[in-house]
Amino acid sequence: MAPSQQAKSSKSARGLLTGLVVGVCLLAAAPCAQAQAPAKQPPVAPQASPQVAPQAAPQAVPGFWDPRRRPERPDLSRLTVIRFLTETDYPPFNYTGADGNPAGFNVDFARALCEEIKVTCTVQMRRFETLVDALASNRGDAIIASMAVSPQLRARVDFTDPYYRVPARFASRKDAVMPEIRPEYLEGKKVGVIAGSAHEAYLKAMFTDAELHPYPNDDAVRAALRKGEVDFIFGDAIALAFWINGTDSGDCCAFSGGPFVESRFFGEGIGIAVRKGNDVLRQALNWAMFRVWEKGRYTDLWLRYFSVSPF
């Protein structure tokens, strides 16, 4: 898989999370599942067709559903087809497969939901900026396109529960990895971050004794770490996971510490959008998401597309 710009509310505000400096793996109270091995400011995708990579060690798969809050099965009799809308080029979440058909994590997840609800499912790819208007004009029933929930979008569409979130994480050179990071541990340390980003704002609020070095974009931040100009970089964990595991990093670096989540800075998560007032579909999708997760199919999908866990 290969993304790295945050999942989006607009292409520059893609993912974003919940909870303050907390370790991840829960939306409500859901624990992380241990998966056995083998088994547009948003992310920068390395390739259009992600390959399944075997896991060399158990990987933590985030759980975003609380097993103690099992949703009741809604009335599904009025649903006969779900027309999903997704974007054209945001691998590994959305891309055109070798056969010319829509592919990616979002696409496979949408199909799993339709199988659970037992309805026909179609997936139409469109440019990201046209998706909400297409939904409003009834050219589709639901948007599954790594769309970040935001107050602005809530005014136009309704959202399901989040089906993933984008944590923030630190990365360092491999010879300086820290198993845990706290504000006091980074006193006087040089930390690279994208100027004007939510990640910079978070560091300014929480890591007041670190020496911040703002850069204009992801490439500049990562180059600074490779060259040793900074001790750490801080940013979108999904983007960093693919960079760390890709050729561009030169095998220089690794994650330090765990994920950070804070909804004030990083948003509410990534949901499926439906037309305002379409509670029948929204509730059906919430129920199906829980069932897909409960049956282990979400874990299977996660491991297929995320060879390095952002969590």
Side-chain angles (χ1 to χ4, degrees):
M1 136 165 192
S4 129
Q5 299 177 216
Q6 302 174 101
K8 32 203 182 178
S9 141
S10 72
K11 277 226 172 192
S12 59
R14 256 188 185 197
L16 308 171
L17 307 212
T18 341
L20 176 78
V21 185
V22 295
V24 171
C25 297
L26 66 157
L27 173 57
C32 283
Q34 287 298 320
Q36 298 301 316
K40 243 167 169 205
Q41 196 176 345
V44 175
Q47 58 185 29
S49 315
Q51 300 297 315
V52 179
Q55 304 300 306
Q59 182 191 145
V61 177
F64 301 113
W65 294 271
D66 184 352
R68 298 169 300 182
R69 297 175 58 191
R70 177 188 301 274
E72 292 186 10
R73 187 180 190 277
D75 180 5
L76 305 176
S77 61
R78 286 182 284 172
L79 291 177
T80 56
V81 63
I82 301 175
R83 298 171 298 161
F84 278 104
L85 301 170
T86 194
E87 82 162 292
T88 54
D89 186 23
Y90 187 54
F93 292 101
N94 310 92
Y95 61 93
T96 301
D99 59 359
N101 292 318
F105 178 87
N106 284 329
V107 174
D108 285 348
F109 189 50
R111 288 171 175 153
L113 299 179
C114 289
E115 288 174 17
E116 195 62 45
I117 297 171
K118 294 181 172 53
V119 294
T120 300
C121 178
T122 65
V123 181
Q124 178 189 158
M125 303 180 82
R126 306 177 64 92
R127 295 194 317 278
F128 184 82
E129 63 273 16
T130 69
L131 292 174
V132 173
D133 287 341
L135 182 69
S137 59
N138 197 30
R139 282 173 279 179
D141 303 308
I143 300 170
I144 185 164
S146 295
M147 184 169 282
V149 180
S150 69
Q152 295 79 8
L153 280 174
R154 281 191 185 278
R156 302 185 64 190
V157 299
D158 287 340
F159 280 99
T160 64
D161 296 336
Y163 64 97
Y164 80 89
R165 297 175 183 254
V166 183
R169 289 190 73 173
F170 288 94
S172 65
R173 294 186 64 83
K174 284 189 170 181
D175 59 2
V177 167
M178 297 175 65
E180 182 181 12
I181 289 187
R182 297 180 181 179
E184 59 267 29
Y185 296 172
L186 297 194
E187 181 178 355
K189 297 291 187 181
K190 298 176 181 178
V191 182
V193 67
I194 294 178
S197 65
H199 300 98
E200 182 186 37
Y202 184 79
L203 291 176
K204 286 180 175 179
M206 304 303 299
F207 287 79
T208 54
D209 293 326
E211 182 182 312
L212 302 192
H213 289 252
Y215 292 89
N217 53 47
D218 278 321
D219 289 341
V221 171
R222 295 165 186 171
L225 182 61
R226 284 198 311 269
K227 296 173 184 176
E229 295 173 3
V230 294
D231 302 302
F232 299 91
I233 60 176
F234 184 66
D236 173 328
I238 291 182
L240 285 174
F242 287 102
W243 174 70
I244 285 170
N245 197 44
T247 56
D248 288 348
S249 69
D251 199 31
C252 69
C253 306
F255 281 128
S256 266
F260 291 79
V261 293
E262 168 52 83
S263 58
R264 288 190 302 122
F265 292 89
F266 306 128
E268 302 176 49
I270 308 305
I272 301 173
V274 300
R275 277 188 296 281
K276 295 289 287 185
N278 192 350
D279 289 341
V280 171
L281 179 55
R282 183 180 59 81
Q283 291 170 6
L285 291 171
N286 278 337
W287 173 81
M289 286 195 295
F290 184 92
R291 294 278 293 166
V292 168
W293 169 75
E294 186 178 44
K295 292 178 176 181
R297 297 183 67 190
Y298 183 89
T299 295
D300 292 342
L301 274 178
W302 187 270
L303 291 177
R304 176 182 173 191
Y305 285 99
F306 294 83
S307 58
V308 174
S309 176
F311 293 89

